[in-house]
Each structure stands twice: as C-alpha cells, then as structure tokens.
Amino acid sequence: MKILFVCHRLPFPPNRGGKIRPFHMIRHLGRKHSVVVASLAHTEKELCEARPLSDYCERVIAEVLPNRTRWMHAAAALPSPTPSSVAYFWSRRLSEKIQEAFQKESFDAIIVHCAFVAQYVRNLHCGFRMLDYGDVDSGKWFDYARSRTFPLSIGYRVEAEKLRLYERRLAMEFDLCTATTLGELEEVRKLNAEVPSAVIPNGVDLSYFRPRPENPRTSAVLVFLGRMDYFPNIDATLYFANHIFPLIRRSVPQAEFRIVGSNPTREIQNLAKLPGISVTGHVPDVRPYLMDAAIAVAPLRIARGTQNKILEFLAIGIPVVTTPEAAKGVSAKPGQHFLVADGPDSFADQVVRFLQDPQLRETFSLAGRLPLAEAHSWPNSMRILDELLENRNASVEKQFESK
C-alpha cells in the first residue's frame, strides 16, 4: 500500500522529547508500506535534524515555515471563519508540493496526524482517508479560555468555537477518525459527525526508556521534561517554580529543579536565575538528564490525552507526582503507580513525602513500569493501526468502539 502521511511538525525519535506518536506510526508503517511523509519545520536547522526520518519512509516532503510567517498568517485569519491555529500551519509551497506528488503518484491511503494540517488534503481523494486527531485541539483551546484572564479568555474562546466547527467539518470528510484515549474519543464523538472512530493509545518505547541501573537514594533532583515553547508546559513549569518549589525547599533546602526541553522561552530561561533551578534547553538525548532524578514532576494544569513524559518517567523508574488533569490519560492507578496532587500545598507535600522516604521511592519506581507493557505498548497500538488499515472497507465503528 502507498500511504501519504501528513503531520504538523517533523517527528523526531523518542530521545528528542518531541512528537513521538507520528514518529512511531511512520516507522511502523514504513516496514510494510511505501510511506511518503509531508510536514513542516520551523527552521532550516530543524529540517536538517529531521533527516534521519528518511530512514523510515520512502521520502519526506518538507517545507520550512518560519515563526514570523506563521504568526502573520494567524493574525490575518482573526476576522475570518478560519481558525488562526489552522492558518498558523499553512504553507502554500508545502501545499503545492503535496498536490504535485498526488498528481504524479498513486496513493492508496492518506493518514493525517493533527487536524491543523488536514487542510493540505481536503481536495485529495483516494481509497481510504484517516484523520488522527490525537487530542481534539478545540478542547485544549476551551481549557485555555478558562485558564486565562480577560481579554485573552475571550480570544481563546472565539478560537475554540471556530476550531470546533472546523473539526466537525473535517471529521465528515474522512473515512475514520482516531484519538489517543477514550476521553478524547468522546470529544471526537461530540463533534456529531457520524464518522467511524477508534482509539490508538499512545505508547512508550520500553526498550529505549529502560529502568535505571540503580535508584539514586540520596538525590534531591526534581525533573520536568517537554518542549518548552508549548504553552501547557510553560504554564506548568512557571506554576511549579513559583508556587510549589519554594514550599518544597522549606522542607528540603537542597532540592533542585531541572527543566529539560528544547526551545525554552525567555520566561523559562529566566527561571535559571532562581536558586536551585536549571534549564537545559535542547539536549541530544534526554535520558542522561533523567538518570539521577529522585522524582519527576508533571504539574500540568492544562492537559489533553496522554502525557508521554509521564510514560517515559515511569518506564525509566522515576517516581512521578502529577496533577489530576495530566493523570487522566495514563492507564495506571494513582497511589499505586504514581502520586496525584491538586494545588500547590498538596503537590509540595507529595514531593516532600517522596524526597524524605527513599524506600517509598523504590516501591513506586518498581511499580510504575508494570502497567505500561499492556496499556501503553507501541507494538500493541500499532497492531490496532494495522487492523484499522486492513479493515478499512469494513464497519470500523462496530469492530473498534470498545477497544
């Protein structure tokens, strides 16, 4: 089968801490099918860094879309029905390249990861078209509207409404829509598009994120992982650094907070000026920065789907403290596989509890990896993808709605 795979950002391997869902899908599909990937990069450097992606597919069609151009497109869309978050990902040159490829080659299927880039294939038709929402982004914008103050809250609300209508129209144009969790699948069904839908869970590469040789019993390092130009990660990090970490340092003065992730904003970089806080920026491999961590924190107040960072922490054997919002998409039990806390005082208390009890950390370190092999295994998720493609002409809804 020849597949056109369109995603909103060039995917990187798991060591980069980037969008690993499309990477695993492309790598898996490339073993059995001829896959042409189409995507965007922010810079020439990012484009070069993504060259290894070609090892897993027939070829990559990519275009650099600088931030300045993206924001100009987003601003121009404000008075129009087009969501600004969709306009942000528009590249005329990428569209032309995709159209040209489609005219010259015969594709059996189109798979789109992320609704923002479905715009590139709306007029392209073939035997099977699948839209992998991953997370339903309009839900995230509604969360933004609730979390921001006036007038930003109004702007986010308007964008959320525009995006929800756009997502509904898109769903009706595809043969199948997929999501990462049952909760996100419900969001897809709320679009009322009457399209077959299924869950393909996010996974973690257990052969790559292996258990640490030993747990650092005397460490007081707290670690956060994620792209640091992404608003929910920025919000979570600032929230933790300003409201939770000082409470922790009162009980454990030697505690350190390490922020690992590419493209830190100026606000995040400035956190390194505070006592006990370090900001790494881009690192070629995230694992060495996790090995000596006593605890991983995921204090996200805005979270959709599955937080891959939590899966990676659990796989390595780092005890995790997270928020109820971030815990929802992880198929593990709070209090048994990780700890959940709501509010600065409660979150700080749980972190201090771990820091002061090495044996408790050891217990959670061993327990955290247990549910991953079944619930968050990439091979299991890719088997679902294979079945969906094999049964693309069947009633997918009936077969997969309970999975």
Side-chain angles (χ1 to χ4, degrees):
M1 184 187 304
K2 186 150 189 174
I3 301 170
L4 175 64
F5 192 104
V6 186
C7 49
H8 69 296
R9 189 166 194 165
L10 283 166
F12 297 108
N15 67 304
R16 293 290 308 280
K19 288 292 183 181
I20 62 172
R21 180 180 177 89
F23 171 80
H24 280 282
M25 294 174 81
I26 291 165
R27 184 175 67 172
H28 176 77
L29 292 169
R31 293 168 179 158
K32 300 180 180 180
H33 309 287
S34 174
V35 181
V36 175
V37 176
S39 190
L40 294 167
H42 285 264
T43 63
E44 289 289 346
K45 180 182 177 183
E46 187 176 289
L47 191 64
C48 291
E49 290 173 346
R51 282 177 181 166
L53 183 64
S54 299
D55 295 339
Y56 306 104
C57 60
E58 179 184 325
R59 63 191 176 96
V60 177
I61 303 171
E63 191 64 41
V64 174
L65 187 60
N67 281 338
R68 184 172 182 273
T69 304
R70 293 169 183 261
W71 287 112
M72 287 174 58
H73 290 171
L78 286 172
S80 76
T82 301
S84 292
S85 50
V86 173
Y88 179 86
F89 289 95
W90 173 250
S91 165
R92 179 181 57 82
R93 291 178 64 183
L94 180 62
S95 178
E96 290 172 350
K97 288 181 178 180
I98 292 173
Q99 297 284 336
E100 181 181 358
F102 210 81
Q103 291 171 5
K104 291 182 177 180
E105 305 172 53
S106 179
F107 287 93
D108 302 294
I110 295 173
I111 297 177
V112 176
H113 170 73
C114 182
F116 295 137
V117 289
Q119 57 189 315
Y120 291 105
V121 302
R122 295 188 74 176
N123 66 335
L124 303 181
H125 300 282
C126 60
F128 179 70
R129 288 157 49 91
M130 170 180 148
L131 175 55
D132 179 39
Y133 281 101
D135 308 329
V136 179
D137 288 291
S138 59
K140 189 183 305 177
W141 286 89
F142 281 117
D143 288 343
Y144 290 171
R146 287 187 286 268
S147 68
R148 305 306 288 269
T149 57
F150 181 85
L152 283 177
S153 59
I154 300 299
Y156 283 121
R157 179 78 188 189
V158 170
E159 176 68 11
E161 296 285 1
K162 290 165 66 172
L163 187 55
R164 179 58 59 99
L165 291 173
Y166 178 77
E167 289 167 339
R168 182 176 295 126
R169 290 195 297 270
L170 283 182
M172 293 186 288
E173 297 174 9
F174 284 79
D175 301 303
L176 171 69
C177 294
T178 57
T180 57
T181 66
L182 288 173
E184 290 301 314
L185 185 65
E186 286 304 310
E187 291 294 318
V188 172
R189 290 172 174 167
K190 287 178 184 177
L191 299 175
N192 296 320
E194 296 184 357
V195 60
S197 55
V199 172
I200 302 177
N202 272 357
V204 60
D205 189 338
L206 295 175
S207 65
Y208 188 86
F209 290 101
R210 296 180 178 180
R212 296 181 290 186
E214 59 181 356
N215 292 318
R217 296 181 63 84
T218 61
S219 171
V221 174
L222 317 176
V223 66
F224 178 87
L225 173 64
R227 291 194 67 92
M228 296 316 304
D229 57 356
Y230 179 53
F231 176 72
N233 286 341
I234 296 170
D235 176 75
T237 307
L238 294 174
Y239 168 59
F240 184 84
N242 293 321
H243 301 286
I244 301 173
F245 190 55
L247 301 178
I248 295 169
R249 296 262 290 187
R250 290 180 190 173
S251 299
V252 186
Q254 72 273 26
E256 302 174 34
F257 179 37
R258 181 183 298 156
I259 303 164
V260 182
S262 60
N263 302 330
T265 63
R266 186 172 298 278
E267 277 185 304
I268 299 300
Q269 293 177 39
N270 287 339
L271 291 178
K273 300 175 183 178
L274 299 177
I277 298 180
S278 61
V279 180
T280 70
H282 166 73
V283 296
D285 187 342
V286 300
R287 292 172 298 177
Y289 296 84
L290 307 180
M291 290 298 109
D292 65 338
I295 303 163
V297 294
L300 290 104
R301 297 187 290 183
I302 300 170
R304 311 290 304 187
T306 303
Q307 295 299 313
N308 289 316
K309 58 174 67 68
I310 296 180
L311 302 183
E312 292 164 4
F313 294 146
L314 294 176
I316 288 177
I318 309 175
V320 175
V321 181
T322 187
T323 57
E325 293 84 356
K328 286 186 294 187
V330 179
S331 294
K333 294 181 180 179
Q336 180 177 335
H337 301 118
F338 57 85
L339 296 181
V340 175
D342 196 10
D345 291 331
S346 176
F347 204 106
D349 288 345
Q350 296 287 43
V351 171
V352 170
R353 179 185 169 199
F354 265 145
L355 287 175
Q356 295 179 340
D357 191 340
Q359 186 57 51
L360 182 67
R361 297 205 305 270
E362 181 75 22
T363 299
F364 274 78
S365 176
L366 295 172
R369 190 176 167 95
L370 296 178
L372 301 181
E374 180 62 31
H376 293 291
S377 158
W378 280 121
N380 288 348
S381 295
M382 293 303 97
R383 277 194 288 272
I384 295 175
L385 177 60
D386 285 341
E387 292 177 34
L388 291 169
L389 290 175
E390 291 167 6
N391 294 280
R392 58 190 179 276
N393 296 320
S395 176
V396 182
E397 177 81 10
K398 182 177 180 181
Q399 294 179 21
F400 294 98
E401 64 181 357
S402 61
K403 291 196 174 186

